[in-house]
């Protein structure tokens, strides 16, 4: 039996082949009436017709594929972001090609080059550093791209990111309202915009309240292990803060492990706020107060911006910031009236261990 073609579908549906083509294209189906589109799809299904995307790509010079680079798919924040991007791209007739760079600039480069060879129509990048050669090359090549969650120092790039300054301010103001006056920060790596912007937002927020930044440190990565290493010295000092704002929830879990090592408990000895509201943090004992970012919406909005740039490469490159929300749980409370105990003396309060 011969394979059905577009003219066969149009003939069966009683429409012109151009109308059938528009009805079967996700991006142009809205140009025909819903009744006609349904009739064409029914005809295509009855005849076993499938759109030849290779032929369409040759005609339009598009692959209808989008490359997305993420730093670490094992981190709880990224699957929701990817799903949001994929759902929006699928709705518009694009296929997502995903690559995990493992936070390695060399892998970032390799995956980028391979995707270019496969002629993707654009990129979603969640891996960028503040000064990023891959981003510079994409700018020079006029390839449509959108930065997701992170951005770069130079302007005139499209990005969809959390409002990092505002989110950190929510955390600091909450702790101040509880009565904390010595508030520390375990920052993320300053080579990333998320690390640098949240650290700057923290300093601005405490100073706006008439305070000086409390003891803090910079984690080398957004991981439990890096959070532990950065927090050990801060929590081991006699002048330790009564509250800590962590750069993200995984860093916050590292802070909890550091507290365990020093015989401290949360929130009895110090309060703690994370950032992102990852899927598991409400199950800790006590549950983690954190700044919620809708990762699904982050990916979905980034995909929408990219689709617009693919369709109209002359469109404006702007930064979209998503509004954060403070989620108050059990890891924050009013500070103790008495001075904090000497860490060297240990303690017999409840223990809290972060997840590995």
């Amino acid at each position: 039996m011969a394979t059905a073609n577009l003219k066969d579908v149009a003939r069966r549906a009683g429409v012109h082949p151009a109308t059938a083509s528009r009805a079967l294209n996700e991006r142009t189906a809205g140009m025909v009436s819903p009744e006609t589109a349904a009739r064409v799809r029914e005809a295509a299904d009855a005849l076993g017709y499938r759109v030849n995307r290779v032929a369409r790509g040759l005609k339009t010079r598009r692959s209808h594929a989008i490359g997305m680079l993420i730093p670490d798919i094992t981190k709880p924040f990224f699957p929701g972001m990817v799903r949001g991007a994929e759902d929006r791209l699928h709705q518009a007739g694009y296929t997502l090609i995903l690559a995990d760079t493992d936070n390695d600039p060399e892998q970032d480069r390799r995956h980028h080059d391979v995707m270019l060879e496969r002629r993707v129509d654009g990129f979603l990048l969640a891996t960028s550093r503040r000064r990023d050669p891959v981003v510079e090359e994409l700018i020079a090549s006029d390839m449509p791209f959108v930065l997701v969650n992170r951005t770069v120092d130079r302007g005139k790039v499209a990005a969809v990111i959390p409002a990092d300054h505002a989110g950190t301010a929510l955390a600091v103001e909450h702790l101040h309202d509880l009565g904390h006056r010595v508030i520390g920060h375990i920052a993320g790596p300053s080579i990333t915009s998320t690390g640098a912007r949240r650290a700057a937002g923290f300093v601005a927020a405490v100073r706006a309240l008439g305070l000086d930044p409390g003891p803090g440190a910079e984690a080398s990565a957004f991981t439990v292990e890096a959070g532990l290493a950065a927090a050990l010295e801060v929590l081991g000092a006699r002048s330790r803060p009564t509250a800590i704002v962590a750069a993200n929830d995984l860093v916050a879990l590292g802070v909890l492990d550091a507290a365990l090592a020093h015989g401290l408990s949360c929130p009895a000895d110090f309060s703690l706020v994370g950032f992102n509201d990852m899927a598991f943090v409400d199950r800790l004992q006590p549950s983690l107060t954190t700044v919620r970012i809708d990762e699904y919406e982050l990916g979905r909005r980034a995909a929408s911006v990219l689709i617009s740039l693919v369709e109209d490469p002359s469109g404006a490159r702007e930064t979209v910031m998503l509004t954060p929300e403070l989620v108050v749980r059990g890891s924050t409370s009013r500070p103790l009236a008495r001075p904090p105990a000497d860490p060297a003396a240990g303690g017999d309060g409840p223990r809290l261990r972060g997840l590995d």
Side-chain angles (χ1 to χ4, degrees), residues 6 9 12 59 76 116 128 186 193 213 229 232 246 251 257 270 288 328 343-344:
L6 186 63
V9 174
R12 185 181 180 101
K59 183 178 180 180
L116 279 180
S128 58
I186 305 298
S193 65
L232 279 172
V251 170
D257 278 346
F270 71 100
L288 183 66
V328 178

Side-chain angles (χ1 to χ4, degrees), residues 17-84:
T19 302
S21 177
R22 284 192 288 269
L24 294 172
N25 186 335
E26 297 92 336
R27 296 182 299 115
T28 58
M31 297 171 64
V32 301
S33 70
E35 295 80 9
T36 300
R39 194 164 72 249
V40 171
R41 287 195 297 270
E42 288 173 3
D45 290 341
L47 294 172
Y49 174 78
R50 295 291 180 268
V51 176
N52 187 334
R53 295 190 181 277
V54 173
R56 177 175 286 174
L58 291 173
K59 183 178 180 180
T60 63
R61 295 186 179 181
R62 290 184 185 172
S63 64
H64 292 91
I66 297 297
M68 185 173 191
L69 304 184
I70 59 171
D72 189 348
I73 193 62
T74 66
K75 297 297 185 288
F77 183 72
F78 293 107
M81 179 195 299
V82 173
R83 183 60 182 269

Side-chain angles (χ1 to χ4, degrees):
M1 181 178 177
T3 303
N5 58 36
L6 186 63
K7 289 183 178 180
D8 296 328
V9 174
R11 188 179 304 112
R12 185 181 180 101
V15 299
H16 191 277
T19 302
S21 177
R22 284 192 288 269
L24 294 172
N25 186 335
E26 297 92 336
R27 296 182 299 115
T28 58
M31 297 171 64
V32 301
S33 70
E35 295 80 9
T36 300
R39 194 164 72 249
V40 171
R41 287 195 297 270
E42 288 173 3
D45 290 341
L47 294 172
Y49 174 78
R50 295 291 180 268
V51 176
N52 187 334
R53 295 190 181 277
V54 173
R56 177 175 286 174
L58 291 173
K59 183 178 180 180
T60 63
R61 295 186 179 181
R62 290 184 185 172
S63 64
H64 292 91
I66 297 297
M68 185 173 191
L69 304 184
I70 59 171
D72 189 348
I73 193 62
T74 66
K75 297 297 185 288
F77 183 72
F78 293 107
M81 179 195 299
V82 173
R83 183 60 182 269
E86 187 170 35
D87 285 353
R88 180 65 185 93
L89 291 170
H90 175 74
Q91 184 183 46
Y94 291 87
T95 297
L96 181 68
I97 301 175
L98 181 67
D100 185 332
T101 70
D102 199 26
N103 277 303
D104 182 346
E106 291 302 317
Q107 288 199 46
D108 193 359
R109 160 75 58 191
R110 181 170 60 83
H111 288 308
H112 163 265
D113 291 347
V114 169
M115 288 181 179
L116 279 180
E117 291 172 3
R118 297 191 178 186
R119 304 181 67 84
V120 296
D121 292 334
F123 282 94
L124 294 169
L125 301 179
T127 55
S128 58
R129 291 162 173 77
R130 291 170 58 197
R131 298 174 182 84
D132 198 308
V134 168
V135 172
E136 294 297 327
E137 287 185 18
L138 287 171
I139 292 171
S141 69
D142 291 326
M143 168 67 75
F145 72 93
V146 176
L147 306 181
V148 195
N149 192 48
R150 300 179 183 178
T151 188
V152 292
D153 285 353
R154 67 169 291 165
K156 297 183 179 179
V157 296
V160 179
I161 61 174
D164 292 309
H165 282 75
T168 309
L170 287 175
V172 171
E173 289 163 4
H174 167 63
L175 294 168
H176 183 268
D177 289 345
L178 288 174
H180 293 278
R181 297 297 180 264
V182 183
I183 305 171
H185 183 51
I186 305 298
S190 57
I191 61 170
T192 66
S193 65
T194 42
R197 288 168 63 90
R198 290 173 193 176
F202 171 81
V203 172
V206 294
R207 287 182 174 164
L209 293 169
L211 306 176
D212 291 325
E218 179 180 323
S220 61
F222 288 104
T223 64
V224 176
E225 296 78 12
L228 166 63
L232 279 172
E233 183 175 350
V234 173
L235 289 177
R238 285 183 174 274
S239 59
R240 70 171 182 265
T242 65
I244 290 177
V245 176
N248 80 347
D249 293 339
L250 293 177
V251 170
L253 295 184
V255 175
L256 295 177
D257 278 346
L260 179 65
H262 284 297
L264 302 173
S265 64
C266 172
D269 296 309
F270 71 100
S271 287
L272 178 64
V273 182
F275 205 112
N276 285 343
D277 195 25
M278 294 179 181
F280 54 81
V281 298
D282 60 330
R283 300 185 180 184
L284 297 175
Q285 292 297 325
S287 53
L288 183 66
T289 295
T290 187
V291 177
R292 174 178 292 161
I293 297 297
D294 187 339
E295 65 266 27
Y296 180 92
E297 181 64 10
L298 202 63
R300 193 193 71 80
R301 288 285 295 277
S304 289
V305 172
L306 180 58
I307 290 166
S308 296
L309 291 176
V310 170
E311 300 294 331
D312 179 14
S314 65
R317 270 65 173 170
E318 298 177 340
T319 295
V320 177
M321 288 193 286
L322 299 192
T323 303
E325 173 190 359
L326 181 70
V327 182
V328 178
R329 298 194 180 104
S331 66
T332 53
S333 68
R334 299 189 66 82
L336 296 175
R338 58 181 174 78
D342 185 343
D348 56 3
R351 299 291 187 258
L352 181 60
R353 184 172 64 85
L355 300 179
D356 293 331

